[in-house]
Amino acid sequence: MTQAERQRRLERFETAHREGGLPVTMQRRAVFEAILDRRDHPTADQVFHVLHPRLPQLSRMTVYRILGTLVSLGLLSRICHPGSSARFDPKLHQHHHLVCLDCGDIIDLEDMRLNTLPWPDVGRHGFQIEDYHIHFRGRCARCRPRAKTLPAGRKRAPRLRIPRNKATLKPKGTRA
């Protein structure tokens, strides 16, 4: 994100709060800025762990509430994948994701062809489509070499592991 784009998003942050009648608090701004430059689609817990050393009075629940507010104001989007915690994305334009089944990494995929797919007729279900995002599931470049080979004809059952914040992991043999 360029500095000009970052500044524009921060101005939009303040405008959205004013228009919504909400105060611009130090905590809200810190949470928004913590996500703004990230490309890894952090969870609320990851945002909390990044900010807590700098803002020890910030609680985990406050981070969850702030993220919900930022989503409702249209400043962030919430992305959910089966078996995973909600993740937050600063990119608001139409784009899609590659989701690693092993480590849980989410990679942005910009492909204009995917943005012009015809929508299915869902009227008989009483459903109205408003938007869509495509999630391709597979293995990232880091996990692919580690994937276990299976006997011919057998497929591994897909699973999605929830990534842990590496900063909070304890070395083996230590107690919390």
Side-chain angles (χ1 to χ4, degrees):
M1 176 178 300
T2 67
Q3 191 61 28
E5 172 66 11
R6 181 177 170 70
Q7 185 60 37
R8 188 185 67 72
R9 292 290 303 273
L10 289 171
E11 289 169 5
R12 175 67 190 120
F13 167 85
E14 291 183 13
T15 300
H17 278 76
R18 261 195 320 274
E19 290 173 354
L22 299 170
V24 176
T25 65
M26 177 184 66
Q27 288 97 345
R28 284 187 188 155
R29 187 175 182 100
V31 168
F32 186 64
E33 288 182 356
I35 291 182
L36 201 54
D37 291 327
R38 291 183 66 154
R39 297 173 53 170
D40 63 343
H41 309 84
T43 64
D45 284 340
Q46 289 171 324
V47 173
F48 171 76
H49 287 294
V50 165
L51 292 176
H52 194 257
R54 200 175 50 160
L55 298 169
Q57 74 282 9
L58 183 69
S59 73
R60 185 181 315 264
M61 185 54 65
T62 299
V63 171
Y64 275 89
R65 280 197 302 265
I66 289 171
L67 289 168
T69 299
L70 296 175
V71 168
S72 69
L73 291 172
L75 298 168
L76 298 175
S77 62
R78 179 189 327 257
I79 54 176
C80 300
H81 301 285
S84 177
S85 298
R87 311 278 285 267
F88 296 89
D89 194 346
K91 286 187 175 182
L92 300 176
H93 66 276
Q94 179 78 22
H95 68 285
H96 310 282
H97 296 111
L98 305 173
V99 181
C100 181
L101 293 167
D102 288 338
C103 70
D105 277 359
I106 300 174
I107 302 164
D108 289 331
L109 176 64
E110 309 276 350
D111 188 330
M112 295 305 293
R113 296 171 300 171
L114 299 175
N115 298 347
T116 59
L117 294 175
W119 292 7
D121 180 10
V122 294
R124 67 186 166 118
H125 300 289
F127 193 83
Q128 179 180 340
I129 297 173
E130 296 180 7
D131 193 14
Y132 71 95
H133 299 276
I134 297 173
H135 307 268
F136 293 99
R137 296 166 28 126
R139 289 185 174 72
C140 68
R142 197 174 57 246
C143 293
R144 205 170 49 247
R146 292 185 290 200
K148 294 176 185 170
T149 56
L150 298 173
R154 291 210 36 216
K155 288 187 174 182
R156 179 192 313 238
R159 67 181 190 271
L160 184 61
R161 294 186 187 150
I162 299 172
R164 294 191 229 178
N165 183 341
K166 292 180 177 104
T168 63
L169 294 177
K170 305 269 187 241
K172 282 187 176 182
T174 61
R175 295 180 186 227

